Amino acid sequence: MAIAPPDNGTPPDPAHPRTGFDRFFEISARGSTMSREVRGGLATFFTMAYIVVLNPLILGGAVDGDGKKLSIPALAAATALVAGLMTMLMGVVGRFPMALAAGLGVNALVAYEIAPEMTWADAMGLVVIEGVIIAVLVLTGLRTAVFRSVPTQLKTAIGVGIGLFLTIIGLVDAGFVRRIPDVANTTVPVGLGINGKIVSWPMLVFVVGLLLTLVLVVRRVRGAILIGILASTVLAIIVEAVANVGPSFVNGKPNPKGWSLNVPELPKQIVDVPDLSLLGNFNVLDSWSRAGWLVPLMFVFTLLITDFFDTMGTMVAIGQEGDMLDERGTPPRAKEILLVDSIAAAAGGAASVSSNTSYIESAAGVGEGARTGVANLVTGALFLLAMFLAPLSVVVPFEAASTALVVVGFLMMTAVRTIDWTDYEIAIPAFLTITFMPFTYSISNGIGAGIISYVVLKLAKGKARDIHPLLYGVAALFVLYFLRGPIEAAVL
């Protein structure tokens, strides 16, 4: 459990709040002070500000079913805007020191699985639908029921699998891992770099940036991931200025030794009016006619599951870190916290930046002493200021930003230690969940494999009573998901 650092101010008196502001946010009641809240808000921002750079690169690097891409500067501005507003809303309504931004893992699902099946507007419409459904589940109390239906260790496996999925995306985007052409006459599908060697400047920048970030993480430096991205970008700019590497495609021809996505050159301007053209660019109906009813239904369900469990776990983890849980392990104003989180999911879709969700990096702010929503006001304000720095997003190449994906993948992987690998009835579903995600390049495949195998194994052991009734329905939906090809061929 984190211990708040010493505070030089007068110790708070919970029985006598100093101001109405103090009373509303319960600053003294939770044993905090304004200086601790400000420090906590700053710490949280600097540990998760990388999302303003990373989310545009994930979404901006993918194409939809019409072959169109989203503007990276516009994605950066909208990412910062929604993160700022939703984080502040959490502070005022939830009054809990948990910041929100576009969710890693969910944005990968939107970029690499949903968007290719339809248009970007359709894909973001499904995110809006998912957010509305979660809000209804919160208001009716069903969210907790569904949450409890999935075994805890299987929920852990979902997070670990997403971490490995993000890792392989980072390695591939950086060009560190590449597909071996069929003409190579080998059974090995992928390999290291170019012909098994690190022979390009961009790959070297990735390796140096990754090692630097890992060193910072090991040394517990606050903002390690953001510092790693920035340092790698500076190195990339210097390398490009000296070596003139160029992009990965020149005049339509591949340049294997070039930079992925962005060539690291300083923009003509650093500060600019935010490009908010993506706001409201969503459609909640067309995806159902274009992709068929089953595919959007399963995508919404997968988004729901992914968002669903991440937030519940994060909320409890942050509450434990700050000693803010009651005897039932529930943080204060839990319903309000979950409601704001569901609104953030819909808001992210409405702004074309993918579902916004709670960030475990908020624990850094709690470690600095944050205990209330005041810290969120600080974090949110800094995100809003970041909107005006959107032009910098086109400077960062994948080789610099992908270091964050690998490190975040490691952080998510650490939870694997809580899975009981001696109990095959849960270990096998957990294993399938974790491995299917990166190896099939699909989050939904991993979740489905885990849930279906869990139900089958429990039934085979004669333990039907161990399966929550809701989980039968979830497993049935995933069976339909895996059989959607022949089902759509027969029905549509």
Side-chain angles (χ1 to χ4, degrees), residues 478-490:
F478 269 116
V479 170
L480 292 175
Y481 173 77
F482 285 119
L483 297 177
R484 66 187 185 278
I487 290 175
E488 288 185 342

Side-chain angles (χ1 to χ4, degrees), residues 43-207:
T44 294
F45 175 76
F46 285 115
T47 55
M48 61 181 287
Y50 64 85
I51 194 61
V52 178
V53 173
L54 198 54
N55 191 51
L57 291 181
I58 293 175
L59 292 176
V63 297
D64 66 7
D66 291 340
K68 296 181 179 179
K69 289 188 174 183
L70 297 176
S71 164
I72 288 182
L75 282 169
T79 297
L81 174 64
V82 178
L85 293 178
M86 293 301 103
T87 295
M88 296 177 82
L89 184 65
M90 178 66 77
V92 174
V93 177
R95 303 174 202 172
F96 192 67
M98 185 170 71
L100 302 98
L104 287 171
V106 177
N107 55 8
L109 173 64
V110 173
Y112 299 106
E113 294 189 45
I114 300 179
E117 298 286 339
M118 54 195 73
T119 68
W120 280 111
D122 295 339
M124 294 304 171
L126 295 183
V127 176
V128 173
I129 292 173
E130 176 249 343
V132 173
I133 292 175
I134 291 183
V136 173
L137 291 176
V138 172
L139 295 174
T140 60
L142 289 176
R143 184 171 190 179
T144 301
V146 175
F147 174 73
R148 290 174 177 170
S149 73
V150 178
T152 301
Q153 295 185 64
L154 202 53
K155 299 170 192 171
T156 300
I158 291 173
V160 173
I162 290 174
L164 288 180
F165 184 49
L166 288 173
T167 299
I168 194 170
I169 289 174
L171 294 174
V172 170
D173 285 348
F176 191 78
V177 171
R178 305 191 184 202
R179 180 178 179 273
I180 297 177
D182 295 334
V183 294
N185 192 29
T186 177
T187 58
V188 180
V190 295
L192 170 67
I194 300 174
N195 297 322
K197 302 175 183 178
I198 300 175
V199 294
S200 71
W201 283 110
M203 274 192 285
L204 182 61
V205 168
F206 169 75
V207 171

Side-chain angles (χ1 to χ4, degrees), residues 413-464:
M413 178 72 183
T414 58
V416 76
R417 67 186 184 279
T418 64
I419 298 174
D420 183 3
W421 295 102
T422 64
D423 181 0
Y424 285 7
E425 293 172 29
I426 189 63
I428 290 175
F431 169 75
L432 294 177
T433 299
I434 293 170
T435 55
F436 269 45
M437 288 189 191
F439 293 152
T440 68
Y441 228 64
S442 168
I443 295 171
S444 53
N445 287 351
I447 296 175
I451 290 178
I452 291 174
S453 61
Y454 175 80
V455 171
V456 170
L457 293 178
K458 284 293 185 181
L459 290 175
K461 291 281 290 185
K463 297 181 178 180

Side-chain angles (χ1 to χ4, degrees), residues 188-442:
V188 180
V190 295
L192 170 67
I194 300 174
N195 297 322
K197 302 175 183 178
I198 300 175
V199 294
S200 71
W201 283 110
M203 274 192 285
L204 182 61
V205 168
F206 169 75
V207 171
V208 172
L210 179 60
L211 290 175
L212 171 63
T213 307
L214 292 173
V215 168
L216 294 174
V217 169
V218 170
R219 293 182 65 86
R220 308 287 182 179
V221 175
R222 300 217 185 272
I225 293 176
L226 179 61
I227 293 172
I229 292 175
L230 295 177
S232 301
T233 301
V234 170
L235 176 60
I237 292 173
I238 295 173
V239 167
E240 176 60 23
V242 174
N244 194 26
V245 177
S248 56
F249 280 87
V250 179
N251 298 324
K253 296 181 179 180
N255 173 24
K257 297 183 180 181
W259 301 100
S260 299
L261 190 62
N262 293 329
V263 176
E265 299 173 333
L266 288 176
K268 296 180 180 179
Q269 57 187 33
I270 295 177
V271 179
D272 195 10
V273 176
D275 179 359
L276 301 178
S277 59
L278 293 178
L279 299 186
N281 185 29
F282 68 95
N283 191 314
V284 298
L285 297 177
D286 284 358
S287 60
W288 303 90
S289 58
R290 175 163 179 164
W293 65 271
L294 186 58
V295 172
L297 177 64
M298 293 311 304
F299 278 143
V300 169
F301 174 74
T302 303
L303 284 169
L304 184 70
I305 293 294
T306 305
D307 255 350
F308 206 90
F309 300 125
D310 181 67
T311 297
M312 298 287 282
T314 300
M315 181 177 70
V316 172
I318 292 173
Q320 288 175 335
E321 182 77 4
D323 196 20
M324 293 180 283
L325 302 181
D326 61 20
E327 64 279 0
R328 296 176 298 176
T330 303
R333 302 178 66 82
K335 185 174 182 179
E336 288 83 354
I337 293 171
L338 293 175
L339 181 59
V340 173
D341 182 81
S342 62
I343 293 172
S352 298
V353 295
S354 178
S355 174
N356 272 230
T357 188
S358 56
Y359 264 59
I360 192 61
E361 285 87 344
S362 303
V366 174
E368 286 288 347
R371 296 292 183 272
T372 77
V374 175
N376 280 37
L377 300 183
V378 176
T379 303
L382 291 173
F383 269 121
L384 295 181
L385 287 176
M387 282 195 305
F388 297 91
L389 301 177
L392 288 177
S393 63
V394 299
V395 176
V396 184
F398 264 145
E399 290 79 5
S402 293
T403 58
L405 287 176
V406 177
V407 174
V408 170
F410 157 71
L411 295 175
M412 297 176 75
M413 178 72 183
T414 58
V416 76
R417 67 186 184 279
T418 64
I419 298 174
D420 183 3
W421 295 102
T422 64
D423 181 0
Y424 285 7
E425 293 172 29
I426 189 63
I428 290 175
F431 169 75
L432 294 177
T433 299
I434 293 170
T435 55
F436 269 45
M437 288 189 191
F439 293 152
T440 68
Y441 228 64
S442 168

